[in-house]
Amino acid sequence: MQPSGKKYDLEARIEEAQARLKNLRAEARKQDRRDETRRKIIYGAAVLDIIARWQDGDGKSDEQKAEEASRAERMMLALHERVNRERDRKFLGLACEVTNKMR
């Protein structure tokens, strides 16, 4: 037995709306991933700029240079400790072995 015309039309419209909703949710997830990637790039670039300025030392006293160089070294160590994937560590030229302390 076939559903009545109105009921069939309503069910078809519901299915279309559900499909649109599914597509919108998928697009929202994609946008969230793009936004997260962009945040990581922006913050990563900012951190690397800060480290480069600490390492630069132009126009600073020897004491300031030493303090900032030490700060830059500690920051780089902290960043390296948080890189856990073997292929990422290899790309960055880090030892591929990740210690338990780093995890």
Side-chain angles (χ1 to χ4, degrees):
M1 179 173 215
Q2 293 230 347
S4 67
K6 260 189 176 181
K7 184 177 178 182
Y8 181 76
D9 185 46
L10 289 174
E11 287 178 3
R13 288 176 57 194
I14 289 170
E15 286 179 19
E16 289 171 8
Q18 288 173 334
R20 283 193 308 272
L21 180 60
K22 183 179 176 183
N23 289 338
L24 288 171
R25 285 182 175 152
E27 187 58 38
R29 284 190 303 272
K30 276 195 226 176
Q31 187 61 48
D32 287 345
R33 286 191 302 273
R34 284 190 292 259
D35 291 348
E36 179 65 17
T37 298
R38 185 171 184 202
R39 261 190 298 281
K40 289 176 181 178
I41 291 168
I42 292 168
Y43 282 129
V47 167
L48 292 175
D49 183 58
I50 290 168
I51 292 169
R53 288 173 190 247
W54 287 342
Q55 291 171 332
D56 184 19
D58 285 346
K60 297 174 186 164
S61 70
D62 289 342
E63 186 178 314
Q64 286 174 319
K65 287 179 187 178
E67 182 181 320
E68 289 188 354
S70 174
R71 190 180 300 151
E73 189 176 318
R74 287 191 317 268
M75 176 63 87
M76 288 303 293
L77 180 61
L79 291 171
H80 292 167
E81 287 177 348
R82 282 156 182 83
V83 178
N84 295 319
R85 289 175 28 191
E86 187 175 332
R87 72 180 195 182
D88 293 341
R89 294 187 64 77
K90 187 174 181 180
F91 173 77
L92 294 172
L94 305 174
C96 287
E97 196 172 299
V98 180
T99 67
N100 288 334
K101 177 186 170 197
M102 291 183 187
R103 289 181 186 211

